Amino acid sequence: SIGNALIYFFSLTLSTLHFELALTVPLLIMLGAMRSKMHHDKAIINCEYSMATFSTGERKVRSKGDRRSVEISLIIRQVFESTVLVNLFPRSQIDIYVQILQADGGTRCAAINAASLALIDAGIPMKDFAVACAAGCVDGTPIVDLNYREDSSYQSPDMPIAILPKSNKITMLQMDQKLHLDTFEKVLQCAVDGCHQIYDIMVTKVKERTEELVTSRGVLQV
């Protein structure tokens, strides 16, 4: 399953979003462009990623500063530094907080998709949606959106990517194993196709959200 449900809560520059990608569920809180004490000619993007103690079958306390969380926080920040029109917000800071409530693989991709929707919901201008999806290869067959069992049991290579759908520009690509060039191209295309499927769902949900907001304010009668 590529995506199940999106639920928005919106207030001024604060956007809280619950997003589901298959069985992975991140909760995202995004604070819009706020004044920063630092003097910059563009906005600074700050990101903090963490996993809840109960997010996996093995319950354990996870430090916010552990190596994996810091790495994924940096990845998410870099994706949106290349997507958000940061030059429109000098001397400002955009804060993105992601906590994984339920993890079954693909947490960084789910976090990027949730952050993209939250930024749009908060009215932050971007070049395009930032859409992420992972793909892998099991017994020579490319598969999209690996869950935890597929990723760990088959020791398949996992390739999470993020793209700007309109231009197909890749803003993030990672690999944890080597792949033959022919296999790499097939897995990459599988991931790109998965991104476009998610993009179609995201566009639909944003349109529904927009109609809901316009109708609730009495601007448009549907």
PDB file of all heavy atoms in Angstrom, residues 106-133:
ATOM      1  N   GLY A 106      10.650   2.502   5.774  1.00  0.00           N
ATOM      2  CA  GLY A 106      10.372   3.722   5.010  1.00  0.00           C
ATOM      3  C   GLY A 106      10.066   4.942   5.837  1.00  0.00           C
ATOM      4  O   GLY A 106       9.325   5.827   5.402  1.00  0.00           O
ATOM      5  N   THR A 107      10.657   5.052   7.031  1.00  0.00           N
ATOM      6  CA  THR A 107      10.304   6.168   7.914  1.00  0.00           C
ATOM      7  C   THR A 107      10.775   7.518   7.364  1.00  0.00           C
ATOM      8  O   THR A 107      10.074   8.518   7.495  1.00  0.00           O
ATOM      9  CB  THR A 107      10.886   5.972   9.326  1.00  0.00           C
ATOM     10  OG1 THR A 107      12.310   5.845   9.246  1.00  0.00           O
ATOM     11  CG2 THR A 107      10.318   4.721   9.977  1.00  0.00           C
ATOM     12  N   ARG A 108      11.960   7.559   6.749  1.00  0.00           N
ATOM     13  CA  ARG A 108      12.442   8.855   6.235  1.00  0.00           C
ATOM     14  C   ARG A 108      11.585   9.338   5.071  1.00  0.00           C
ATOM     15  O   ARG A 108      11.354  10.532   4.912  1.00  0.00           O
ATOM     16  CB  ARG A 108      13.920   8.760   5.862  1.00  0.00           C
ATOM     17  CG  ARG A 108      14.266   7.983   4.621  1.00  0.00           C
ATOM     18  CD  ARG A 108      15.738   7.712   4.542  1.00  0.00           C
ATOM     19  NE  ARG A 108      16.161   6.848   5.646  1.00  0.00           N
ATOM     20  CZ  ARG A 108      17.428   6.637   5.979  1.00  0.00           C
ATOM     21  NH1 ARG A 108      18.384   7.237   5.298  1.00  0.00           N
ATOM     22  NH2 ARG A 108      17.731   5.845   6.988  1.00  0.00           N
ATOM     23  N   CYS A 109      11.108   8.383   4.249  1.00  0.00           N
ATOM     24  CA  CYS A 109      10.246   8.762   3.121  1.00  0.00           C
ATOM     25  C   CYS A 109       8.905   9.288   3.627  1.00  0.00           C
ATOM     26  O   CYS A 109       8.406  10.304   3.147  1.00  0.00           O
ATOM     27  CB  CYS A 109      10.024   7.559   2.202  1.00  0.00           C
ATOM     28  SG  CYS A 109      11.525   6.999   1.360  1.00  0.00           S
ATOM     29  N   ALA A 110       8.323   8.593   4.599  1.00  0.00           N
ATOM     30  CA  ALA A 110       7.057   9.048   5.176  1.00  0.00           C
ATOM     31  C   ALA A 110       7.222  10.418   5.814  1.00  0.00           C
ATOM     32  O   ALA A 110       6.339  11.281   5.710  1.00  0.00           O
ATOM     33  CB  ALA A 110       6.556   8.031   6.202  1.00  0.00           C
ATOM     34  N   ALA A 111       8.370  10.640   6.469  1.00  0.00           N
ATOM     35  CA  ALA A 111       8.624  11.925   7.124  1.00  0.00           C
ATOM     36  C   ALA A 111       8.720  13.054   6.100  1.00  0.00           C
ATOM     37  O   ALA A 111       8.185  14.149   6.307  1.00  0.00           O
ATOM     38  CB  ALA A 111       9.908  11.846   7.952  1.00  0.00           C
ATOM     39  N   ILE A 112       9.399  12.808   4.975  1.00  0.00           N
ATOM     40  CA  ILE A 112       9.530  13.827   3.930  1.00  0.00           C
ATOM     41  C   ILE A 112       8.170  14.155   3.326  1.00  0.00           C
ATOM     42  O   ILE A 112       7.829  15.328   3.111  1.00  0.00           O
ATOM     43  CB  ILE A 112      10.519  13.354   2.844  1.00  0.00           C
ATOM     44  CG1 ILE A 112      11.948  13.356   3.399  1.00  0.00           C
ATOM     45  CG2 ILE A 112      10.428  14.242   1.599  1.00  0.00           C
ATOM     46  CD1 ILE A 112      12.965  12.684   2.497  1.00  0.00           C
ATOM     47  N   ASN A 113       7.354  13.132   3.049  1.00  0.00           N
ATOM     48  CA  ASN A 113       6.029  13.364   2.479  1.00  0.00           C
ATOM     49  C   ASN A 113       5.143  14.153   3.446  1.00  0.00           C
ATOM     50  O   ASN A 113       4.419  15.059   3.036  1.00  0.00           O
ATOM     51  CB  ASN A 113       5.369  12.032   2.122  1.00  0.00           C
ATOM     52  CG  ASN A 113       6.089  11.306   1.002  1.00  0.00           C
ATOM     53  OD1 ASN A 113       6.697  11.922   0.141  1.00  0.00           O
ATOM     54  ND2 ASN A 113       6.039   9.990   1.020  1.00  0.00           N
ATOM     55  N   ALA A 114       5.208  13.786   4.727  1.00  0.00           N
ATOM     56  CA  ALA A 114       4.417  14.497   5.737  1.00  0.00           C
ATOM     57  C   ALA A 114       4.871  15.949   5.857  1.00  0.00           C
ATOM     58  O   ALA A 114       4.051  16.867   5.945  1.00  0.00           O
ATOM     59  CB  ALA A 114       4.530  13.786   7.086  1.00  0.00           C
ATOM     60  N   ALA A 115       6.197  16.171   5.835  1.00  0.00           N
ATOM     61  CA  ALA A 115       6.729  17.524   5.944  1.00  0.00           C
ATOM     62  C   ALA A 115       6.315  18.367   4.738  1.00  0.00           C
ATOM     63  O   ALA A 115       5.982  19.549   4.872  1.00  0.00           O
ATOM     64  CB  ALA A 115       8.252  17.489   6.057  1.00  0.00           C
ATOM     65  N   SER A 116       6.324  17.767   3.556  1.00  0.00           N
ATOM     66  CA  SER A 116       5.918  18.485   2.349  1.00  0.00           C
ATOM     67  C   SER A 116       4.477  18.974   2.459  1.00  0.00           C
ATOM     68  O   SER A 116       4.174  20.133   2.156  1.00  0.00           O
ATOM     69  CB  SER A 116       6.069  17.555   1.134  1.00  0.00           C
ATOM     70  OG  SER A 116       5.778  18.236  -0.065  1.00  0.00           O
ATOM     71  N   LEU A 117       3.587  18.099   2.927  1.00  0.00           N
ATOM     72  CA  LEU A 117       2.178  18.474   3.076  1.00  0.00           C
ATOM     73  C   LEU A 117       1.985  19.536   4.160  1.00  0.00           C
ATOM     74  O   LEU A 117       1.179  20.451   4.013  1.00  0.00           O
ATOM     75  CB  LEU A 117       1.343  17.234   3.395  1.00  0.00           C
ATOM     76  CG  LEU A 117       1.132  16.270   2.226  1.00  0.00           C
ATOM     77  CD1 LEU A 117       0.547  14.958   2.727  1.00  0.00           C
ATOM     78  CD2 LEU A 117       0.235  16.878   1.170  1.00  0.00           C
ATOM     79  N   ALA A 118       2.730  19.405   5.250  1.00  0.00           N
ATOM     80  CA  ALA A 118       2.607  20.376   6.335  1.00  0.00           C
ATOM     81  C   ALA A 118       3.078  21.758   5.894  1.00  0.00           C
ATOM     82  O   ALA A 118       2.473  22.780   6.247  1.00  0.00           O
ATOM     83  CB  ALA A 118       3.406  19.903   7.551  1.00  0.00           C
ATOM     84  N   LEU A 119       4.153  21.809   5.119  1.00  0.00           N
ATOM     85  CA  LEU A 119       4.647  23.095   4.609  1.00  0.00           C
ATOM     86  C   LEU A 119       3.632  23.744   3.682  1.00  0.00           C
ATOM     87  O   LEU A 119       3.374  24.950   3.749  1.00  0.00           O
ATOM     88  CB  LEU A 119       5.974  22.883   3.874  1.00  0.00           C
ATOM     89  CG  LEU A 119       7.201  22.612   4.761  1.00  0.00           C
ATOM     90  CD1 LEU A 119       8.331  22.012   3.930  1.00  0.00           C
ATOM     91  CD2 LEU A 119       7.661  23.886   5.448  1.00  0.00           C
ATOM     92  N   ILE A 120       3.034  22.929   2.812  1.00  0.00           N
ATOM     93  CA  ILE A 120       1.999  23.443   1.909  1.00  0.00           C
ATOM     94  C   ILE A 120       0.807  23.941   2.712  1.00  0.00           C
ATOM     95  O   ILE A 120       0.250  25.013   2.444  1.00  0.00           O
ATOM     96  CB  ILE A 120       1.571  22.342   0.910  1.00  0.00           C
ATOM     97  CG1 ILE A 120       2.707  22.042  -0.053  1.00  0.00           C
ATOM     98  CG2 ILE A 120       0.310  22.764   0.140  1.00  0.00           C
ATOM     99  CD1 ILE A 120       2.489  20.809  -0.898  1.00  0.00           C
ATOM    100  N   ASP A 121       0.400  23.181   3.720  1.00  0.00           N
ATOM    101  CA  ASP A 121      -0.750  23.540   4.535  1.00  0.00           C
ATOM    102  C   ASP A 121      -0.514  24.837   5.303  1.00  0.00           C
ATOM    103  O   ASP A 121      -1.442  25.603   5.545  1.00  0.00           O
ATOM    104  CB  ASP A 121      -1.063  22.407   5.510  1.00  0.00           C
ATOM    105  CG  ASP A 121      -2.411  22.570   6.176  1.00  0.00           C
ATOM    106  OD1 ASP A 121      -3.399  22.837   5.465  1.00  0.00           O
ATOM    107  OD2 ASP A 121      -2.480  22.439   7.414  1.00  0.00           O
ATOM    108  N   ALA A 122       0.743  25.079   5.662  1.00  0.00           N
ATOM    109  CA  ALA A 122       1.071  26.301   6.407  1.00  0.00           C
ATOM    110  C   ALA A 122       1.318  27.491   5.489  1.00  0.00           C
ATOM    111  O   ALA A 122       1.613  28.587   5.950  1.00  0.00           O
ATOM    112  CB  ALA A 122       2.299  26.058   7.277  1.00  0.00           C
ATOM    113  N   GLY A 123       1.225  27.263   4.162  1.00  0.00           N
ATOM    114  CA  GLY A 123       1.371  28.364   3.215  1.00  0.00           C
ATOM    115  C   GLY A 123       2.800  28.734   2.884  1.00  0.00           C
ATOM    116  O   GLY A 123       3.068  29.854   2.435  1.00  0.00           O
ATOM    117  N   ILE A 124       3.735  27.825   3.117  1.00  0.00           N
ATOM    118  CA  ILE A 124       5.132  28.101   2.787  1.00  0.00           C
ATOM    119  C   ILE A 124       5.349  27.827   1.295  1.00  0.00           C
ATOM    120  O   ILE A 124       5.117  26.709   0.828  1.00  0.00           O
ATOM    121  CB  ILE A 124       6.086  27.208   3.616  1.00  0.00           C
ATOM    122  CG1 ILE A 124       5.844  27.418   5.117  1.00  0.00           C
ATOM    123  CG2 ILE A 124       7.533  27.495   3.249  1.00  0.00           C
ATOM    124  CD1 ILE A 124       6.129  28.812   5.609  1.00  0.00           C
ATOM    125  N   PRO A 125       5.779  28.823   0.508  1.00  0.00           N
ATOM    126  CA  PRO A 125       5.960  28.617  -0.935  1.00  0.00           C
ATOM    127  C   PRO A 125       7.125  27.684  -1.245  1.00  0.00           C
ATOM    128  O   PRO A 125       8.211  27.803  -0.660  1.00  0.00           O
ATOM    129  CB  PRO A 125       6.227  30.034  -1.468  1.00  0.00           C
ATOM    130  CG  PRO A 125       6.724  30.801  -0.292  1.00  0.00           C
ATOM    131  CD  PRO A 125       6.075  30.210   0.924  1.00  0.00           C
ATOM    132  N   MET A 126       6.901  26.748  -2.172  1.00  0.00           N
ATOM    133  CA  MET A 126       7.927  25.797  -2.570  1.00  0.00           C
ATOM    134  C   MET A 126       7.972  25.689  -4.090  1.00  0.00           C
ATOM    135  O   MET A 126       7.002  26.004  -4.777  1.00  0.00           O
ATOM    136  CB  MET A 126       7.648  24.414  -1.957  1.00  0.00           C
ATOM    137  CG  MET A 126       7.584  24.391  -0.444  1.00  0.00           C
ATOM    138  SD  MET A 126       7.701  22.720   0.223  1.00  0.00           S
ATOM    139  CE  MET A 126       6.214  21.961  -0.420  1.00  0.00           C
ATOM    140  N   LYS A 127       9.078  25.209  -4.619  1.00  0.00           N
ATOM    141  CA  LYS A 127       9.228  25.008  -6.060  1.00  0.00           C
ATOM    142  C   LYS A 127       8.247  23.941  -6.551  1.00  0.00           C
ATOM    143  O   LYS A 127       7.730  24.024  -7.659  1.00  0.00           O
ATOM    144  CB  LYS A 127      10.653  24.561  -6.385  1.00  0.00           C
ATOM    145  CG  LYS A 127      11.726  25.551  -6.021  1.00  0.00           C
ATOM    146  CD  LYS A 127      13.107  24.946  -6.253  1.00  0.00           C
ATOM    147  CE  LYS A 127      14.206  25.897  -5.796  1.00  0.00           C
ATOM    148  NZ  LYS A 127      15.549  25.267  -5.904  1.00  0.00           N
ATOM    149  N   ASP A 128       8.034  22.925  -5.727  1.00  0.00           N
ATOM    150  CA  ASP A 128       7.193  21.792  -6.092  1.00  0.00           C
ATOM    151  C   ASP A 128       6.962  20.983  -4.823  1.00  0.00           C
ATOM    152  O   ASP A 128       7.562  21.247  -3.782  1.00  0.00           O
ATOM    153  CB  ASP A 128       7.907  20.945  -7.152  1.00  0.00           C
ATOM    154  CG  ASP A 128       6.989  19.956  -7.867  1.00  0.00           C
ATOM    155  OD1 ASP A 128       5.793  19.866  -7.480  1.00  0.00           O
ATOM    156  OD2 ASP A 128       7.459  19.274  -8.791  1.00  0.00           O
ATOM    157  N   PHE A 129       6.093  20.000  -4.901  1.00  0.00           N
ATOM    158  CA  PHE A 129       5.981  19.036  -3.817  1.00  0.00           C
ATOM    159  C   PHE A 129       7.330  18.316  -3.684  1.00  0.00           C
ATOM    160  O   PHE A 129       7.989  18.027  -4.692  1.00  0.00           O
ATOM    161  CB  PHE A 129       4.926  17.964  -4.150  1.00  0.00           C
ATOM    162  CG  PHE A 129       3.504  18.410  -4.010  1.00  0.00           C
ATOM    163  CD1 PHE A 129       2.973  19.351  -4.880  1.00  0.00           C
ATOM    164  CD2 PHE A 129       2.681  17.871  -3.033  1.00  0.00           C
ATOM    165  CE1 PHE A 129       1.651  19.747  -4.772  1.00  0.00           C
ATOM    166  CE2 PHE A 129       1.361  18.256  -2.914  1.00  0.00           C
ATOM    167  CZ  PHE A 129       0.841  19.200  -3.786  1.00  0.00           C
ATOM    168  N   ALA A 130       7.728  18.003  -2.469  1.00  0.00           N
ATOM    169  CA  ALA A 130       8.852  17.088  -2.250  1.00  0.00           C
ATOM    170  C   ALA A 130       8.237  15.727  -1.931  1.00  0.00           C
ATOM    171  O   ALA A 130       7.521  15.587  -0.942  1.00  0.00           O
ATOM    172  CB  ALA A 130       9.722  17.564  -1.095  1.00  0.00           C
ATOM    173  N   VAL A 131       8.472  14.747  -2.784  1.00  0.00           N
ATOM    174  CA  VAL A 131       7.834  13.440  -2.648  1.00  0.00           C
ATOM    175  C   VAL A 131       8.911  12.371  -2.552  1.00  0.00           C
ATOM    176  O   VAL A 131       9.865  12.362  -3.332  1.00  0.00           O
ATOM    177  CB  VAL A 131       6.909  13.129  -3.842  1.00  0.00           C
ATOM    178  CG1 VAL A 131       6.168  11.830  -3.622  1.00  0.00           C
ATOM    179  CG2 VAL A 131       5.922  14.268  -4.054  1.00  0.00           C
ATOM    180  N   ALA A 132       8.762  11.463  -1.590  1.00  0.00           N
ATOM    181  CA  ALA A 132       9.775  10.430  -1.363  1.00  0.00           C
ATOM    182  C   ALA A 132       9.163   9.037  -1.374  1.00  0.00           C
ATOM    183  O   ALA A 132       8.016   8.844  -0.973  1.00  0.00           O
ATOM    184  CB  ALA A 132      10.488  10.676  -0.034  1.00  0.00           C
ATOM    185  N   CYS A 133       9.946   8.080  -1.826  1.00  0.00           N
ATOM    186  CA  CYS A 133       9.532   6.677  -1.832  1.00  0.00           C
ATOM    187  C   CYS A 133      10.783   5.821  -1.905  1.00  0.00           C
ATOM    188  O   CYS A 133      11.796   6.237  -2.482  1.00  0.00           O
ATOM    189  CB  CYS A 133       8.609   6.382  -3.019  1.00  0.00           C
ATOM    190  SG  CYS A 133       7.923   4.700  -3.028  1.00  0.00           S
TER     191      CYS A 133
END
